[in-house]
Amino acid sequence: MGKFSTKNEGVSSTSEDYPFRNVSLPWEDRVNDLVNRLTLEEIQVQMSTGWSMNGISRLDIKPYQWDTECLRGDVDNNATSFPQSIGLAAAFSPDLIFRVAQTTGIEVRGRHNDFVKQNNYSSHTGASCFAPVINIMRDSRWGRNQETYGEDPYLSGVYAANFIQALQGNDTRYVRASGGCKHFDAHGGPENIPVSRGSFNAEVSEEDWRMTHLPAFRMCVQAGTYNLMCSYNRINGIPACANEKLLTEILRKEWGFKGYVISDAYAIENIITAHKYINNSVDTVAACVNAGCNLELSGRKTTPVFLSLVDAVNQKKLTEAKVREMVAPLFLTRMRLGEFDPPEMNPYSKLSSADVETPEHLALALESAMKSYVLLKNNGVLPLQKSGTIGVVGPMANDSNQLFGDYSAHPPQKYITSPLDGLSAMASKTQFASGCDDTVCEMYNSSDVLRAISGTEINFVVLGTGQNVEKEGRDRPDTELPGQQKTLLLDVINNNPTKTPIILLVFSAGPVNISFADQDPRVSAIMQGFLPAQAAGDALRHVLLNDVKGAVPAGRLPYTWPMFASQLPPMVNYSMQGRTYRYFEGDPLYPFGYGLSYTKFDYTELDIDNAAVKAGDPVTGYFFVRNTGTMEADEVIQIYIRWQDPPINAPTLQLAWFNRITIPVSEKGVKVNFEIDAKTMALWYKDSWRILPGRLEMFLGGQQPHQKRAAPSNTLVAPFIIHGSKYLGRY
């Protein structure tokens, strides 16, 4: 934005005369005109009301609402509900997350247009999204793991970029719905165990900050996001929302971000009440605005901290020029959404609630759920045929609410299918017992469970967590199955007829300790379904039966599934040593990127175009992958790199390229081209990003190399050398 006058210049006689409504002017001129017409008192209100911004009647500016949640659907509204983010990440599909975000943008904008026509500016009616969540899943016990894309910075960044571009649309003038990546940054637990997130200080090294926590956010910014949300925590002693290094030095100066930063709810007042970093509102608003926070999402809706903004200016702790500079991105966002232009100019103004929950959107919800399922164990029992009598037990079998996860849209009941619904459709008779009142499972009824598994052909045990156990504000103390769920599973295992298969279905965000079931031959198959939302049951039925195109499981774990919680460092320890597949020590139960299929794949002819790469150039090549089984299926292809002799504590392994493609049964196989971006080969070294000379290895396959627990497909390795070095700067 350009320079702003510190003098209110008056108003024209009619709103149509204002230059900020002149569609022939550049955006910058229009924003400057609008901002320079505002009084400081009006700006104060605009920057302190992140929930629902008041209108400015003298300029004929309507109210606006900023807090729409769009994590994977129009949250809390009657809209299509896609699987929770962690399940979408398990699909390992840039195409899928793009289409989910695109559909979410259509539904959010359609409902927003109708809300505006109804003069409804209440919560969750705007077209500015708090999504996606791209914090790194650094600890299995964190309550908000479900909202993330898992533990890998590159995967999270690719997903974030696709989400933002799809949500916002491809019109050259207007934005369909504005995106906002969160929570910025070094934010990945705790929520409440062992301490509160509101006062927590994340002590993170520069190396870990740059190489693990920040990369996905930079990719989000490069994709064109309009906002970021600063997080609750302190980073090395300074609250994120008052952190000048984070919000100005890194975000704006190093990355060139031009949008706005909004605080998380309560994060600003927490600076005073929880962090005790500053003891009054005037100094707090000055610190936050000067650091780079544009908008407060206050927990005290009637008395936000930012309502002391004018006092801070009067006390010369803020300049009026800085305040006008900081309010400008808010109005640029609203202009790009089309608020100040004739509706007929904006293609997104045609959307309405009629574009919500269309047949195409419902089909995508089903496809997404099918693609999110990860097959962890299969002794050959899957895929199934339709059965006579089946037993279905466990608290997640028929608790649809828990299967949605946190921050979900609320579709009509007619679109919701539970696992019990899906499994019952596979059998002529179903014997069901929940065994527990809820997923916490403090009270367990063994007799009901034993009756349900008696005289059956197959028994399904449906366990997990849901929001009762893990969500925002609710960490897990460990990774054990909740309450008496383990007892329930052991009862089935120990009382199951010898030849009756047991299939364990887990619906959780983070991993749970099922090592005993994995190692027990009486458990024939295990599948992780995450939190698949409205299409859970239909998706489960199709995947188990493989009765429709695209039903062969191909999902991969977007996180490391530890054997035991003892493999995890303390939650409050922000060193990456021992965390995620990139630095993990020991053997997990299931590694990152792991997942089985009903078919097998064979990789051949890995060819790197140039095995001696000039620093700064991409690595390109091709390979063939062949489906050697009997059924067409998707395969998740993964390429990892490893530094042979790094000068620093580089990751043990780094995902550098991935895609999900459909591969028919064929003798010849499918040729796949790849390109590894040069930045993927960079390391944070001597306070900057550099591509260093040295020897690297590339690993290709449907999984990580050299894992104790592996899928039956092969992996290929190819060495390459980087010649020279390239300084990439600070980012």
Side-chain angles (χ1 to χ4, degrees):
M1 288 296 128
K3 294 182 179 179
F4 298 97
S5 167
T6 58
K7 177 183 177 182
N8 186 276
E9 299 177 352
V11 299
S12 303
S13 56
T14 63
S15 63
E16 290 80 5
D17 294 334
Y18 299 145
F20 71 80
R21 296 189 184 275
N22 185 341
V23 297
S24 67
L25 292 177
W27 295 116
E28 183 174 3
D29 292 353
R30 297 176 65 184
V31 173
N32 290 350
D33 175 74
L34 192 160
V35 170
N36 284 330
R37 293 177 184 278
L38 302 179
T39 66
L40 270 180
E41 288 74 16
E42 288 169 336
I43 293 176
Q44 175 176 263
V45 172
Q46 297 296 299
M47 292 178 63
S48 64
T49 50
W51 297 103
S52 184
M53 184 174 285
N54 295 335
I56 305 171
S57 58
R58 69 182 183 85
L59 299 177
D60 197 24
I61 295 175
K62 304 296 184 185
Y64 188 72
Q65 186 278 329
W66 293 99
D67 78 314
T68 296
E69 300 280 1
C70 321
L71 190 61
R72 31 62 188 244
D74 191 1
V75 173
D76 287 341
N77 281 316
N78 186 340
T80 308
S81 183
F82 297 100
Q84 181 58 289
S85 298
I86 194 69
L88 294 172
F92 271 70
S93 173
D95 169 72
L96 182 68
I97 193 65
F98 187 95
R99 289 186 288 129
V100 167
Q102 183 179 56
T103 302
T104 297
I106 290 170
E107 296 200 354
V108 166
R109 185 56 185 251
R111 295 187 62 85
H112 168 70
N113 289 343
D114 286 356
F115 287 136
V116 170
K117 292 173 184 175
Q118 300 159 8
N119 289 317
N120 181 355
Y121 300 99
S122 59
S123 185
H124 293 184
T125 61
S128 294
C129 291
F130 295 165
V133 173
I134 55 174
N135 298 111
I136 297 302
M137 182 178 167
R138 51 176 285 279
D139 194 295
S140 301
R141 299 159 294 195
W142 185 35
R144 302 192 77 169
N145 285 327
Q146 62 180 278
E147 301 172 46
T148 76
Y149 296 136
E151 72 183 33
D152 183 70
Y154 176 70
L155 171 64
S156 297
V158 170
Y159 261 52
N162 277 277
F163 188 102
I164 291 296
Q165 290 166 354
L167 181 83
Q168 295 183 170
N170 60 4
D171 189 80
T172 57
R173 180 177 179 87
Y174 296 106
V175 174
R176 178 166 47 217
S178 59
C181 293
K182 61 180 187 177
H183 309 82
F184 197 54
D185 185 38
H187 179 70
E191 291 292 299
N192 65 322
I193 299 175
V195 296
S196 168
R197 65 183 182 179
S199 58
F200 178 67
N201 180 33
E203 297 180 3
V204 57
S205 70
E206 192 75 15
E207 182 180 299
D208 284 342
W209 199 12
R210 297 283 184 165
M211 292 185 62
T212 296
H213 298 285
L214 289 173
F217 284 96
R218 182 169 184 266
M219 293 175 74
C220 172
V221 169
Q222 290 176 316
T225 187
Y226 273 74
N227 84 80
L228 294 179
M229 176 182 282
C230 52
S231 53
Y232 289 110
N233 55 291
R234 279 173 287 153
I235 304 166
N236 297 328
I238 303 174
C241 294
N243 197 308
E244 185 176 1
K245 178 178 179 179
L246 178 69
L247 303 183
T248 295
E249 295 300 321
I250 294 175
L251 178 60
R252 291 182 167 91
K253 292 183 179 180
E254 294 181 13
W255 297 357
F257 179 65
K258 303 297 184 185
Y260 65 93
V261 173
I262 185 170
S263 77
D264 206 339
Y266 299 92
I268 301 296
E269 54 258 47
N270 279 354
I271 292 173
I272 302 171
T273 61
H275 294 296
K276 302 188 185 305
Y277 182 74
I278 301 173
N279 64 8
N280 64 84
S281 293
V282 171
D283 287 334
T284 300
V285 66
C288 293
V289 173
N290 282 324
C293 184
N294 306 73
L295 181 60
E296 179 183 8
L297 190 67
S298 177
R300 305 182 313 201
K301 296 184 181 180
T302 57
T303 57
V305 172
F306 273 28
L307 279 184
S308 294
L309 185 146
V310 172
D311 288 341
V313 173
N314 291 337
Q315 295 178 33
K316 301 188 183 308
K317 295 179 177 182
L318 267 176
T319 67
E320 183 173 341
K322 180 65 175 180
V323 169
R324 293 185 184 277
E325 172 193 332
M326 296 299 282
V327 80
L330 304 180
F331 286 104
L332 175 63
T333 302
R334 294 171 68 174
M335 284 186 183
R336 295 300 301 272
L337 287 165
E339 180 178 342
F340 302 109
D341 291 3
E344 58 271 17
M345 291 183 63
N346 187 347
Y348 304 127
S349 66
K350 300 179 178 65
L351 295 171
S352 71
S353 296
D355 297 293
V356 176
E357 294 172 319
T358 65
E360 294 79 12
H361 297 181
L362 300 179
L364 182 59
L366 175 59
E367 176 192 348
S368 302
M370 288 195 297
K371 287 185 172 178
S372 72
Y373 283 45
V374 179
L375 183 60
L376 301 174
K377 177 183 178 179
N378 184 18
N379 68 1
V381 68
L382 300 180
L384 298 169
Q385 301 292 321
K386 288 193 174 183
S387 305
T389 300
I390 63 171
V392 179
V393 298
M396 287 296 274
N398 199 35
D399 192 337
S400 293
N401 179 57
Q402 297 299 304
L403 286 157
F404 276 80
D406 217 359
Y407 289 100
S408 174
H410 298 312
Q413 185 63 41
K414 64 182 179 180
Y415 296 139
I416 300 172
T417 59
S418 68
L420 179 61
D421 295 328
L423 295 170
S424 296
M426 296 167 46
S428 58
K429 181 182 178 182
T430 302
Q431 299 175 178
F432 168 64
S434 173
C436 311
D437 291 338
D438 54 32
T439 58
V440 177
C441 199
E442 292 179 346
M443 303 294 293
Y444 168 55
N445 189 321
S446 176
S447 58
D448 284 355
V449 168
L450 296 181
R451 278 195 296 270
I453 65 170
S454 176
T456 55
E457 297 175 21
I458 303 175
N459 285 319
F460 297 91
V461 183
V462 192
L463 307 179
T465 57
Q467 306 90 279
N468 286 342
V469 176
E470 53 177 338
K471 60 173 289 187
E472 180 176 6
R474 186 172 296 158
D475 293 322
R476 292 186 291 158
D478 50 46
T479 59
E480 297 301 313
L481 285 165
Q484 298 194 61
Q485 288 192 34
K486 181 177 180 179
T487 302
L488 186 158
L489 178 53
L490 287 172
D491 272 354
V492 175
I493 293 172
N494 293 327
N495 293 278
N496 193 66
T498 304
K499 295 185 179 181
T500 302
I502 298 172
I503 297 176
L504 172 60
L505 303 172
V506 180
F507 292 94
S508 67
V512 291
N513 183 7
I514 53 170
S515 55
F516 67 97
D518 178 80
Q519 295 160 11
D520 196 318
R522 293 172 293 181
V523 178
S524 301
I526 303 175
M527 187 174 291
Q528 166 66 299
F530 303 99
L531 301 166
Q534 68 183 58
D538 285 342
L540 178 62
R541 170 170 53 87
H542 290 315
V543 170
L544 292 175
L545 294 176
N546 186 29
D547 60 351
V548 296
K549 183 178 176 64
V552 175
R556 300 294 199 274
L557 289 177
Y559 53 69
T560 300
W561 193 306
M563 184 77 71
F564 306 108
S566 59
Q567 293 177 306
L568 301 174
M571 172 83 84
V572 296
N573 180 356
Y574 259 69
S575 168
M576 289 307 298
Q577 183 177 354
R579 293 191 185 278
T580 77
Y581 79 95
R582 299 164 75 228
Y583 303 99
F584 193 76
E585 299 166 357
D587 293 317
L589 179 60
Y590 307 115
F592 172 90
Y594 170 81
L596 302 175
S597 175
Y598 296 156
T599 187
K600 295 181 180 180
F601 299 96
D602 182 55
Y603 289 83
T604 60
E605 299 182 48
L606 172 58
D607 187 277
I608 300 176
D609 293 336
N610 188 354
V613 182
K614 179 183 175 182
D617 289 346
V619 175
T620 59
Y622 67 88
F623 56 88
F624 285 85
V625 58
R626 184 164 63 96
N627 184 340
T628 62
T630 61
M631 57 192 77
E632 179 180 275
D634 285 1
E635 170 68 334
V636 169
I637 302 166
Q638 304 164 54
I639 295 179
Y640 295 86
I641 58 173
R642 179 165 64 191
W643 291 264
Q644 291 293 298
D645 301 298
I648 64 166
N649 183 28
T652 304
L653 205 63
Q654 175 61 59
L655 183 68
W657 186 92
F658 69 94
N659 204 1
R660 179 174 181 142
I661 63 173
T662 302
I663 303 178
V665 176
S666 169
E667 288 295 324
K668 184 178 180 181
V670 174
K671 182 180 180 181
V672 181
N673 297 303
F674 67 89
E675 178 176 306
I676 297 176
D677 187 270
K679 287 186 174 63
T680 309
M681 296 175 275
L683 296 170
W684 182 259
Y685 180 63
K686 294 184 177 180
D687 290 328
S688 63
W689 285 98
R690 301 168 189 260
I691 300 173
L692 301 172
R695 297 178 296 116
L696 289 84
E697 288 180 306
M698 175 189 299
F699 299 94
L700 163 71
Q703 58 193 324
Q704 286 187 60
H706 312 313
Q707 293 298 308
K708 185 175 181 180
R709 186 60 176 268
S713 64
N714 64 321
T715 57
L716 301 178
V717 60
F720 66 99
I721 298 174
I722 297 177
H723 285 300
S725 62
K726 187 173 181 65
Y727 173 78
L728 300 181
R730 294 177 63 88
Y731 59 79

